Amino acid sequence: QVQLVESGGGSVQSGGSLRLSCAASGYTVSSYVMAWFRRTPGKEREGVATRSSVGSTDYADSVKGRFTVSGDNVKKTVQLQMNSLKPEDTAMYYCAAATAASWGFRRQQTAYNYWGQGTQVTVSS
């Protein structure tokens, strides 16, 4: 059974930093894409950052230069280092994995077949 478990959310003041982690288990494919999405009440879920199993990365324009995605292919983990946080970054953050889609589909939420439960990030002004 595939599981994605997030950790590292919390509350921070504007300008602060947080680091999210996601550990995947239960799948054995060597080629995959892992990503972070976020959702705030009343808004659509949006992609934040993506990392492939060969180390390619992609970011939403709103977080470029502030967030960094990294990972360990052997452990099947992905981290999201969030710096210079803003109140508008407040959201529930979800880890997702796509084990059957190529990098070209990384921005399509339907490409992701496994999702974590989410971890809350709150940034106060």
Side-chain angles (χ1 to χ4, degrees), residues 36-91:
W36 290 96
F37 290 82
R38 65 186 181 188
R39 179 161 57 194
T40 55
K43 294 181 67 175
E44 296 285 329
R45 186 168 56 190
E46 62 174 351
V48 176
T50 309
R51 182 185 183 275
S52 76
S53 54
V54 295
S56 300
T57 59
D58 187 35
Y59 298 92
D61 289 343
S62 59
V63 306
K64 280 181 181 176
R66 300 188 298 122
F67 291 11
T68 303
V69 63
S70 60
D72 184 315
N73 294 338
V74 175
K75 297 180 179 179
K76 289 189 173 60
T77 60
V78 65
Q79 294 79 37
L80 185 67
Q81 178 66 42
M82 305 185 293
N83 298 329
S84 301
L85 282 161
K86 305 175 181 180
E88 51 263 44
D89 294 317
T90 295

Side-chain angles (χ1 to χ4, degrees), residues 1-4 24-29 32-34 76 97-99 114:
Q1 183 178 359
V2 175
Q3 282 190 316
L4 299 179
S25 62
Y27 63 81
T28 59
V29 295
Y32 57 87
V33 177
M34 294 186 76
K76 289 189 173 60
T99 60
Y114 300 108

Side-chain angles (χ1 to χ4, degrees), residues 6-28:
E6 303 105 331
S7 61
S11 297
V12 66
Q13 290 192 326
S14 181
S17 299
L18 283 173
R19 184 177 178 86
L20 306 183
S21 295
C22 174
S25 62
Y27 63 81
T28 59

